[in-house]
Amino acid sequence: MKLLIISLLVALAVAEKVRYDGYQTLRIEPKGAIQNDYIHHLAETLDEKYDFWTHTRNGFTDVMMAPNLVGGFKYLLESRDIDYHVMIEDVQKLIDNQDGILPSAGFYETYHSYDEIQTWVTDMANQYSIAEEMNFATSYLGKPINGLKISKSTGGSTKRIVYFQGGIHAREWISPATVMYMTYQLLENNGEGFLDEFDFYIIPSLNVDGYQYSWTNDRMWRKTRSTYEGNACDGVDPNRNYMYEWGGSGSSSLSCSDIYRGPAAHSEPEVSGTTSFLETLKDQGRKFACFIDFHSYSQLWLSPYSYMERDAENHATQVGAAEEACAALQAVHGTRYTFGASASTLYAADGCSVDWGYAKLGATYSYVVELRDKGRYGFLLPENQILPTGEETYAGIKALLNSIKNNS
């Protein structure tokens, strides 16, 4: 009887897992300001029905939709002579075939669950004397958000801080995987000569509730897993929840939107907990040199501001360092990144981490880095691309840190 109950529970769990059979992702390529503005209007008004994966100002827009919505959306585009093509014919097939072609992949060539990531954090702290396990926050569902501090005793509290976070959006699995690989390389190479200058604080997976949900229930889940009375849908976009220019353009007040900003700034414990941790360091007199939030996808290296089309006061410095990082990244596997200010390159998005890191935390070199790819796989990057993504991104980070050292 017990075995039967367990079998039924497993079957129920499998049955409840969201599937995307027949869902298509279209790549839209508008021509000129009028078509661009129209696509931007669609992204703002239809985001509860359609899943806009990426939306650039003068480039392309990728949008996923259910089978019954495909015909109508194509008609909207064709009626205005807007170019498009099918980027992904069937999203579920891509999910089913997501694993790469590595028959005996190593640890840093596969994606890892929430539990595996937290175990990895503990293992790294136990294995390397320069690493210390840190609890940065606790999630809405009570899960620890753990990460690492990497430092040497030399320099004491006068050293500046470099902060990396991954996995703020649940479905962007390449982000935690890349942050873990880079952290391992930093530890294995004894800090690469950076620890006399910097202390590192690193969170591989910030949105742990959403990340686990993307493994167990819905591979395309983006938001947190919080619930609020009166909301029709669960979850908040944590990268629209930061307490800087919160509640303006580029986010939504509708709970079913993937860019729902939440009922208030810092409503999400994942955001409020980690920002409080970092602000405490700042209040203790520590200075932040670098703040990077790793995302996917589109291959972009973006600086403030995100909330409006406005360059930061340190724009030239930020872009110069980003250019060096992207050149070093490209030299590894030939992968090309675009760099520039966020809102000028994409569209305005308020309440974002990159602006908070710069304006509130004081990190001159604050960025959002959108990892591979350009849209062939989108959020469903195969495992055979994990290692090359980590290798090239780590090269970019080393070049960035050297630029920071040489220019400050």
Side-chain angles (χ1 to χ4, degrees), residues 13-197:
V14 172
E16 290 178 346
K17 194 166 187 177
V18 176
R19 293 188 59 85
Y20 290 89
D21 299 284
Y23 277 65
Q24 288 189 356
T25 300
L26 302 186
R27 167 150 295 182
I28 306 165
E29 298 176 289
K31 304 179 293 290
I34 294 176
Q35 290 191 356
N36 268 302
D37 289 345
Y38 179 67
I39 297 303
H40 184 54
H41 169 73
L42 294 181
E44 286 193 319
T45 57
L46 299 178
D47 63 300
E48 286 190 287
K49 292 176 64 177
Y50 299 88
D51 188 350
F52 284 81
W53 283 11
T54 189
H55 180 40
T56 60
R57 179 173 293 276
N58 294 307
F60 57 84
T61 294
D62 296 342
V63 56
M64 182 183 75
M65 62 200 71
N68 63 308
L69 298 176
V70 171
F73 196 85
K74 288 180 177 179
Y75 173 78
L76 286 177
L77 299 177
E78 291 166 1
S79 66
R80 292 176 177 261
D81 194 31
I82 298 175
D83 292 339
Y84 71 90
H85 66 272
V86 177
M87 177 66 70
I88 299 175
E89 187 71 39
D90 190 321
V91 172
Q92 187 60 45
K93 288 182 179 178
L94 204 56
I95 293 173
D96 293 339
N97 298 322
Q98 185 173 30
D99 287 351
I101 55 174
L102 301 173
S104 56
F107 185 86
Y108 296 102
E109 297 173 307
T110 60
Y111 293 117
H112 295 283
S113 68
Y114 163 76
D115 289 332
E116 289 171 335
I117 293 174
Q118 302 306 306
T119 298
W120 172 87
V121 169
T122 301
D123 290 344
M124 292 297 100
N126 290 336
Q127 186 174 345
Y128 296 95
S129 61
I130 58 175
E132 177 184 356
E133 183 172 0
M134 310 287 289
N135 177 246
F136 286 83
T138 301
S139 75
Y140 179 84
L141 295 178
K143 298 182 181 67
I145 301 172
N146 293 332
L148 293 166
K149 175 185 178 182
I150 302 174
S151 66
K152 287 183 177 178
S153 58
T154 56
S157 60
T158 62
K159 289 186 289 184
R160 291 173 295 165
I161 292 173
V162 173
Y163 173 75
F164 299 152
Q165 69 182 30
I168 195 170
H169 287 146
R171 63 191 177 187
E172 298 170 10
W173 288 9
I174 190 60
S175 169
T178 299
V179 173
M180 291 166 69
Y181 173 83
M182 295 192 299
T183 303
Y184 167 72
Q185 290 297 324
L186 193 65
L187 292 169
E188 187 70 7
N189 292 286
N190 200 34
E192 294 279 11
F194 294 120
L195 296 185
D196 290 335
E197 185 98 15

Side-chain angles (χ1 to χ4, degrees), residues 162 164 181-182 185-186 189 191-194 198 200 290 292 294 301 321 324-326 328-329 332 390-406:
V162 173
F164 299 152
Y181 173 83
M182 295 192 299
Q185 290 297 324
L186 193 65
N189 292 286
E192 294 279 11
F194 294 120
F198 306 115
F200 291 80
C290 182
I292 302 184
F294 291 91
W301 202 295
E324 292 184 38
C326 293
L329 186 156
V332 179
E391 290 169 341
E392 66 194 16
T393 309
Y394 188 55
I397 288 298
K398 288 191 294 182
L400 174 72
L401 295 176
N402 278 318
S403 179
I404 295 173
K405 285 176 60 177
N406 295 335

Side-chain angles (χ1 to χ4, degrees), residues 105-303:
F107 185 86
Y108 296 102
E109 297 173 307
T110 60
Y111 293 117
H112 295 283
S113 68
Y114 163 76
D115 289 332
E116 289 171 335
I117 293 174
Q118 302 306 306
T119 298
W120 172 87
V121 169
T122 301
D123 290 344
M124 292 297 100
N126 290 336
Q127 186 174 345
Y128 296 95
S129 61
I130 58 175
E132 177 184 356
E133 183 172 0
M134 310 287 289
N135 177 246
F136 286 83
T138 301
S139 75
Y140 179 84
L141 295 178
K143 298 182 181 67
I145 301 172
N146 293 332
L148 293 166
K149 175 185 178 182
I150 302 174
S151 66
K152 287 183 177 178
S153 58
T154 56
S157 60
T158 62
K159 289 186 289 184
R160 291 173 295 165
I161 292 173
V162 173
Y163 173 75
F164 299 152
Q165 69 182 30
I168 195 170
H169 287 146
R171 63 191 177 187
E172 298 170 10
W173 288 9
I174 190 60
S175 169
T178 299
V179 173
M180 291 166 69
Y181 173 83
M182 295 192 299
T183 303
Y184 167 72
Q185 290 297 324
L186 193 65
L187 292 169
E188 187 70 7
N189 292 286
N190 200 34
E192 294 279 11
F194 294 120
L195 296 185
D196 290 335
E197 185 98 15
F198 306 115
D199 285 343
F200 291 80
Y201 288 82
I202 301 173
I203 301 175
S205 178
L206 186 140
N207 179 11
V208 294
D209 294 344
Y211 183 72
Q212 185 174 41
Y213 191 76
S214 73
W215 277 70
T216 60
N217 292 72
D218 184 350
R219 177 62 183 86
M220 301 312 299
W221 187 260
R222 169 185 167 98
K223 299 187 288 183
T224 63
R225 294 297 301 157
S226 57
T227 60
Y228 294 99
E229 185 176 355
N231 280 2
C233 296
D234 295 340
V236 166
D237 182 347
N239 201 36
R240 300 296 187 274
N241 193 240
Y242 281 79
M243 194 179 290
Y244 185 76
E245 298 295 337
W246 177 86
S249 62
S251 67
S252 176
S253 61
L254 303 174
S255 67
C256 294
S257 169
D258 265 346
I259 54 171
Y260 172 50
R261 65 178 74 106
H266 286 191
S267 62
E268 304 311 283
E270 295 84 357
V271 174
S272 62
T274 53
T275 54
S276 178
F277 182 99
L278 298 174
E279 286 173 329
T280 297
L281 293 174
K282 182 183 177 184
D283 292 343
Q284 293 170 351
R286 304 298 302 277
K287 294 188 181 298
F288 284 79
C290 182
F291 178 106
I292 302 184
D293 191 356
F294 291 91
H295 291 247
S296 72
Y297 61 96
S298 287
Q299 297 170 199
L300 303 170
W301 202 295
L302 304 175
S303 57

Side-chain angles (χ1 to χ4, degrees), residues 320-339:
E323 183 176 14
E324 292 184 38
C326 293
L329 186 156
Q330 183 179 341
V332 179
H333 295 295
T335 308
R336 294 180 179 272
Y337 271 56
T338 299
F339 54 88

